[in-house]
Amino acid sequence: MSQMAPSAKDVKRWRQYLADERAEAAVYRDLAGRRTGEEREILLELADAEGRHEQHWRNLLGERVGMPLKGDIRTRILGVLARRFGSVFVLALAQRAETRSPYATDADATEAMTADEQIHAEVIRALAARGRNRLSGTFRAAVFGANDGLVSNLALVLGISGSGVSNQIVLLTGLAGLLAGALSMGAGEYVSVRSQRELLEASSPDSAARDAVQHLDVDANELALVYRARGMTHEEADAKASEVLRLLPTDDEMAPDVDEHESVGTGLGAAGASFCFFASGAVIPVLPYLFGLEGYVALAVAAVLVGLALICTGLVVGLLSGGPPVKRALRQLAIGYGAAGATYLLGLAFGGGV
């Protein structure tokens, strides 16, 4: 009994799957071209897996493959970004693309293909996590500093405007809020990062203690106390200390497993980024007043400009966190407008009372 011929709708869907798999494989190869070592090999293996999926649809189509189609618009945009940037942002987008696979509900896709797509999402998630971990504290301080500047100074400007003061007072207040907030953010970030680095340094083994290891009394084995203080059990500490003493000379046996200083960043770098990006966000609500706009026109322009900026920072935060960028952007917008609206209403109330 001959197999029933697929419908035109099936052929169209299979051809689109074929195009999408081809486009996704190209994305992974482009990303691999900007990586080295293990990450490059992982991305190339993902591209090979997409090639196997591509072959599945080719086999189903047979002579109906026809002219090559283009991948869906999201995959094509992802390909352009991969060729231009190849950054953690592209990996985050690729992660979301893998989670949108329709194979789980398509009877023509095999269970192995469905499982592949789910595992691919986890692989990309892990690669993106590596990239996020490599992002310095300076970059994170920059993104969140800009967002704080946008929200706090818009709220300040709207609150003062609601009280009914003159345009000049609003402008001076906005500029004062910009400088005060930027200096406060910079100082706070410096103290935070500096304190964190000092805590890490205080927790790092002293080089003199490492040098003393080779002179320890082997029978007393006091090195075991170090490992017990780090959380090992009595037996584990004795075994570890005995191994270290047996393998002398050694260089870094007492060193911590990972060096966290690099991920923390420098105090001055984080402070400078916080100051600059808070100021760059805080200046936006002031721009209409700097250009001479007044009253409700200035308020409306400031609100629109800040809204656009909040959407941009929300998209960046969403991509960095691996969450849905649009949802995060709308959340940022709602929080920013909510804070500014509440302050404006307070300004109206106090202004009317005065």
Side-chain angles (χ1 to χ4, degrees):
M1 182 175 173
S2 60
Q3 186 177 4
M4 183 180 298
S7 66
K9 184 177 180 180
D10 288 336
V11 170
K12 181 180 179 181
R13 188 176 73 257
W14 296 348
R15 291 182 68 199
Q16 187 59 58
Y17 286 160
L18 175 63
D20 292 343
E21 294 289 1
R22 187 187 297 116
E24 288 177 12
V27 168
Y28 290 137
R29 291 192 184 95
D30 288 332
L31 287 172
R34 294 175 175 270
R35 296 292 195 278
T36 58
E38 184 71 14
E39 290 190 22
R40 174 183 173 83
E41 294 179 10
I42 291 172
L43 289 165
L44 289 176
E45 290 187 24
L46 287 176
D48 291 341
E50 302 296 352
R52 294 194 300 272
H53 298 176
E54 178 185 342
Q55 189 59 47
H56 171 80
W57 301 117
R58 284 185 179 277
N59 293 338
L60 283 181
L61 286 165
E63 297 178 353
R64 305 176 186 86
V65 171
M67 295 295 292
L69 298 179
K70 294 182 179 180
D72 64 33
I73 184 63
R74 288 179 295 196
T75 305
R76 279 183 280 161
I77 293 174
L78 189 59
V80 172
L81 293 174
R83 287 189 292 274
R84 296 291 185 274
F85 303 106
S87 68
V88 61
F89 299 102
V90 181
L91 286 172
L93 289 172
Q95 173 188 327
R96 290 186 55 75
E98 291 288 0
T99 59
R100 290 194 298 262
S101 173
Y103 291 169
T105 57
D106 195 310
D108 296 316
T110 67
E111 291 183 359
M113 292 170 63
T114 302
D116 281 350
E117 296 298 324
Q118 293 172 339
I119 295 300
H120 291 179
E122 293 306 313
V123 173
I124 295 299
R125 187 195 307 276
L127 291 177
R130 287 188 184 187
R132 294 184 190 107
N133 290 337
R134 285 194 294 264
L135 289 175
S136 68
T138 299
F139 184 82
R140 290 192 294 270
V143 172
F144 293 109
N147 186 74
D148 288 343
L150 287 165
V151 175
S152 64
N153 222 32
L154 177 65
L156 178 62
V157 167
L158 263 63
I160 292 297
S161 297
S163 67
V165 299
S166 67
N167 192 69
Q168 185 178 9
I169 298 287
V170 175
L171 175 59
L172 290 175
T173 302
L175 292 175
L178 183 158
L179 290 173
L183 288 169
S184 175
M185 284 288 294
E189 195 67 28
Y190 176 83
V191 171
S192 174
V193 173
R194 184 64 185 173
S195 298
Q196 191 172 357
R197 289 183 67 88
E198 289 172 351
L199 287 172
L200 288 173
E201 290 169 359
S203 302
S204 299
D206 189 355
S207 59
R210 289 199 296 270
D211 294 338
V213 169
Q214 57 186 317
H215 303 298
L216 286 174
D217 185 336
V218 175
D219 295 326
N221 198 5
E222 292 186 1
L223 182 59
L225 297 177
V226 175
Y227 299 116
R228 288 169 61 187
R230 292 183 181 177
M232 289 186 180
T233 65
H234 196 292
E235 293 76 13
E236 291 172 340
D238 284 342
K240 175 67 174 176
S242 297
E243 180 184 3
V244 170
L245 292 172
R246 180 173 56 82
L247 296 177
L248 287 173
T250 182
D251 292 327
D252 296 308
E253 289 294 346
M254 293 182 61
D257 294 334
V258 293
D259 182 8
E260 301 180 22
H261 289 73
E262 183 178 354
S263 63
V264 174
T266 65
L268 286 177
S274 290
F275 179 92
C276 293
F277 278 83
F278 183 97
S280 67
V283 76
I284 292 178
V286 183
L287 288 176
Y289 299 93
L290 284 173
F291 286 97
L293 298 180
E294 298 182 1
Y296 291 112
V297 175
L299 288 178
V301 173
V304 170
L305 291 176
V306 170
L308 293 174
L310 285 172
I311 289 173
C312 292
T313 59
L315 290 173
V316 172
V317 171
L319 289 174
L320 284 177
S321 64
V326 174
K327 183 178 179 180
R328 299 294 170 85
L330 294 177
R331 185 179 67 183
Q332 295 280 92
L333 186 64
I335 292 173
Y337 276 179
T343 311
Y344 180 70
L345 292 176
L346 288 172
L348 286 176
F350 283 107
V354 173

